[in-house]
């Protein structure tokens, strides 16, 4: 068994143990409080969803790099649909929407699979943005032109460009870390998602002071501090699956958890503007795919470039 296989097995075994403990706690709470309790029901639904999500990610890791890239391609496709369904795009935007779904989305992930950094890093925010504006203009409709174009551009930026930087970590050639880049993806996803979960838990247990009630009525200062610091500590302890030292891993974890939190606020602002609570209903207890990936959208590109510039 190689070092990579051993570390991957240990990581997923550890995640499995945590989920088993969480499931037992959730069932015990359900038994003790026999009357309906929305918090406990939501907690158990989230735990069950995490079992499914970890299983899907585990299978992708088992199948290899192309499977992981394809998994995030599917996630981007679903997230893009969730985002664009809520925009003011109309029949005049059909060319822009066709370009987004049938050209920009698959081409971005093909470039990632080819490890063509020089193009996948600028394709959407440069060429894609310019072409989207052209495609919207040639239809001749000027009604809400800027709003419609910006919404499609922002949707591509968040759901395709940003998310694609997670599997793009596979393209990095890190010294003394060859063939282990999948673990770097696991580190990013695990730390950011744990931060979200722990912010929720600390918020429910100790939360009293709301951070931004207009954006997110459930985010509290206590939840934010507890979740970010505990997730950063866990990230530091996961240094053994990364090319970082303990201190570096902790600092990077702090950075991506902060970015994840701020990204969540931005996405909450968009949802409130559109008058919705969740982006979708695909994942029980979590809403849509974009609800689960909104934090990663903001953390992934920064994480990728820090690793690229300092470890390759």
């Amino acid at each position: 068994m190689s070092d990579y296989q051993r570390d991957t097995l240990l990581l997923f075994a550890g995640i499995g143990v945590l989920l088993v403990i969480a499931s037992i706690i959730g069932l015990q709470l359900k038994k003790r409080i026999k009357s309906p309790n929305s918090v406990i029901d939501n907690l158990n639904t989230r735990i069950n969803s995490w079992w499914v999500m970890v299983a899907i990610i585990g299978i992708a890791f088992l199948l290899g790099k192309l499977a992981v890239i394809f998994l995030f391609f599917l996630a981007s496709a679903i997230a893009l649909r969730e985002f664009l369904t809520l925009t003011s795009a109309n029949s005049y935007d059909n060319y822009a929407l066709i370009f987004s779904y049938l050209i920009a989305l698959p081409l971005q992930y093909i470039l990632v699979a080819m490890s063509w950094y020089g193009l996948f890093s600028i394709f959407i925010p440069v060429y894609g943005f310019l072409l989207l504006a052209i495609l919207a203009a040639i239809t001749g409709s000027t009604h809400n032109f800027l709003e419609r174009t910006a919404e499609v551009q922002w949707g591509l930026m968040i759901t395709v460009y940003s998310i694609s930087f997670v599997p793009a970590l596979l393209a990095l050639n890190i010294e003394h870390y060859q063939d282990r880049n999948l673990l770097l993806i696991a580190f990013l996803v695990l730390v950011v998602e744990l931060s979200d979960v722990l912010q929720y838990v600390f918020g429910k247990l100790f939360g009293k002071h709301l951070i931004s009630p207009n954006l997110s009525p459930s985010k509290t200062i206590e939840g934010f501090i507890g979740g970010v610091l505990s997730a950063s500590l866990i990230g530091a302890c996961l240094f053994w699956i990364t090319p970082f030292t303990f201190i570096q891993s902790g600092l990077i974890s702090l950075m991506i958890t902060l970015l994840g939190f701020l990204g969540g606020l931005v996405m909450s602002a968009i949802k409130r503007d559109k008058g919705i609570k969740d982006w979708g209903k695909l994942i029980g207890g979590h809403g849509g795919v974009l609800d689960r990936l909104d934090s990663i959208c903001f953390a992934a590109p920064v994480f990728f470039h820090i690793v690229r510039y300092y470890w390759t």
Side-chain angles (χ1 to χ4, degrees), residues 73 107 150 229 274:
F73 164 78
L107 186 53
L229 291 182
K274 295 297 181 182

Side-chain angles (χ1 to χ4, degrees), residues 216-239:
S216 181
S218 61
K219 292 186 186 296
T220 63
I221 294 175
E222 295 81 3
F224 165 70
I225 294 174
V228 166
L229 291 182
S230 54
S232 298
L233 178 59
I234 293 171
C237 295
L238 288 172
F239 75 95

